[in-house]
Amino acid sequence: MNFYLTNRMFQVRESGDASEIYKISARVPQGSVLGPILYTVYTADLPQTAQVMNATFADDTALLASSTDPQTASSILQDSLNKVGNWLQKWRIKASASKSTHITFTLRKGNRPPVQLENNTLPQSDSVKYLGIHLDRRLTRKKHIKMKRDETNIRFRTMYWLMTRNSKLSVDNKLLIYKMILKPVWTYGIQLWGSACSSNLTNIQRLQNGILRTLSNAPWFLTNSEIHEALEIKTVKEEIQQSSTNYNKRLDNHPNDLAAELIKISYNKRLKCHDQTLQSRW
């Protein structure tokens, strides 16, 4: 245990050249099982205020302030960031403003008043990536769906030689590759982006249509619905419906009361002004 926390060294290597070896005076090994737990314990007293929601997962932290008035939302958020800044200085944690993002979720045009963390203005953006989910300004999920569609398509191209008619793999094996390697790429976070409009969901459906048609070597006269039925693959909307149903069932019986309450909250479809800052890798 002592070796895990002390007497650790690091070296930077770039294009075959290596720096000198330096001693690590703080921090735990990246990728270790114990690391996130120790970080959570160390940051357990992160300042919280009644008007700001703190969302943390390992070293990814998000602060969310909500108000119908843009100036008020930024003011509330800035007050919370000031307290976080003092806390960071107290515990000698260095925040990276350049890796943080200030985003406003609203239907209104124009940027909101800027906010600062330790006298550094946080860059504003129309979209942000948090825990693998791309959140756009209007919460349309359009960018996330596009990114996942492109990522799935790129991965499909790398293994295209396995999925074509010339491949010696059986259709069952090709389908297994799709289910195990390709499909998980676009289904990640489906409970969140599944509420997107039909025109955005169609982008994913077209991609799946093309992949299934390729791996099954289906003739041109077969419809996409017939191919899905023959291969026993759900459409994107059917996948969303099943995932949403299963998710609600898990929440309904969740041991955490806060999680169980999520399915009882009714949300207004219209966006107010939500100012959010996302801080990663403190």
Side-chain angles (χ1 to χ4, degrees):
M1 186 65 172
N2 289 335
F3 181 75
Y4 179 82
L5 296 175
T6 60
N7 298 325
R8 302 196 68 91
M9 314 296 287
F10 79 94
Q11 185 181 55
V12 178
R13 186 177 296 276
E14 175 67 24
S15 301
D17 297 326
S19 69
E20 297 181 7
I21 298 177
Y22 296 92
K23 183 178 180 180
I24 301 177
S25 57
R27 196 170 291 188
V28 294
Q30 184 175 2
S32 63
V33 176
L34 188 58
I37 298 176
L38 292 177
Y39 179 85
T40 300
V41 173
Y42 190 71
T43 60
D45 60 342
L46 181 71
Q48 300 188 37
T49 59
Q51 295 178 295
V52 176
M53 177 186 294
N54 290 12
T56 59
F57 184 85
D59 61 344
D60 289 315
T61 302
L63 306 180
L64 175 65
S66 176
S67 175
T68 55
D69 178 56
Q71 185 65 48
T72 301
S74 290
S75 178
I76 294 173
L77 184 59
Q78 184 60 67
D79 180 63
S80 180
L81 287 172
N82 291 340
K83 295 178 180 179
V84 170
N86 294 334
W87 177 84
L88 291 172
Q89 293 180 8
K90 176 183 177 181
W91 294 112
R92 300 180 181 180
I93 300 177
K94 180 63 177 177
S96 177
S98 61
K99 293 183 180 179
S100 303
T101 304
H102 176 206
I103 183 172
T104 302
F105 300 113
T106 182
L107 298 178
R108 301 172 183 174
K109 296 182 180 180
N111 289 328
R112 303 287 79 84
V115 294
Q116 294 184 334
L117 178 61
E118 296 185 309
N119 298 321
N120 295 312
T121 301
L122 301 184
Q124 297 195 28
S125 176
D126 289 334
S127 65
V128 68
K129 183 179 180 181
Y130 184 62
L131 300 181
I133 302 293
H134 296 269
L135 304 172
D136 60 275
R137 182 187 183 92
R138 292 173 174 257
L139 295 179
T140 63
R141 284 77 173 179
K142 181 178 180 179
K143 180 173 182 178
H144 178 80
I145 293 175
K146 180 182 183 302
M147 296 295 291
K148 289 303 175 182
R149 180 201 64 190
D150 293 345
E151 185 180 345
T152 304
N153 194 31
I154 291 174
R155 188 171 296 189
F156 172 62
R157 290 179 181 178
T158 61
M159 53 184 61
Y160 184 77
W161 60 282
L162 284 173
M163 313 290 274
T164 61
R165 68 180 66 183
N166 297 325
S167 173
K168 295 182 179 180
L169 290 178
S170 64
V171 173
D172 288 340
N173 285 331
K174 293 177 183 178
L175 198 59
L176 183 61
I177 292 176
Y178 174 68
K179 291 179 179 179
M180 299 299 295
I181 300 178
L182 300 177
K183 186 178 177 181
V185 175
W186 66 262
T187 55
Y188 176 76
I190 194 172
Q191 297 87 351
L192 296 177
W193 61 260
S195 59
C197 63
S198 297
S199 60
N200 289 330
L201 299 180
T202 300
N203 292 329
I204 292 289
Q205 185 61 65
R206 287 174 178 169
L207 175 64
Q208 178 167 270
N209 293 344
I211 294 176
L212 295 183
R213 189 172 287 276
T214 297
L215 67 85
S216 63
N217 193 23
W220 64 269
F221 53 81
L222 281 183
T223 65
N224 292 321
S225 297
E226 291 173 332
I227 296 175
H228 278 71
E229 183 177 355
L231 297 178
E232 297 182 349
I233 293 292
K234 295 181 177 62
T235 64
V236 173
K237 290 188 176 181
E238 290 172 344
E239 197 72 42
I240 292 171
Q241 182 61 46
Q242 178 176 316
S243 298
S244 178
T245 300
N246 294 339
Y247 183 66
N248 286 333
K249 287 181 180 179
R250 290 199 300 269
L251 286 180
D252 191 37
N253 300 312
H254 204 284
N256 188 322
D257 293 336
L258 295 178
E261 287 293 327
L262 290 176
I263 60 175
K264 301 178 183 179
I265 301 175
S266 59
Y267 294 95
N268 190 334
K269 293 184 179 181
R270 296 291 294 179
L271 283 175
K272 297 188 295 182
C273 179
H274 297 272
D275 260 23
Q276 178 165 335
T277 176
L278 298 172
Q279 170 66 46
S280 63
R281 299 182 183 178
W282 284 353

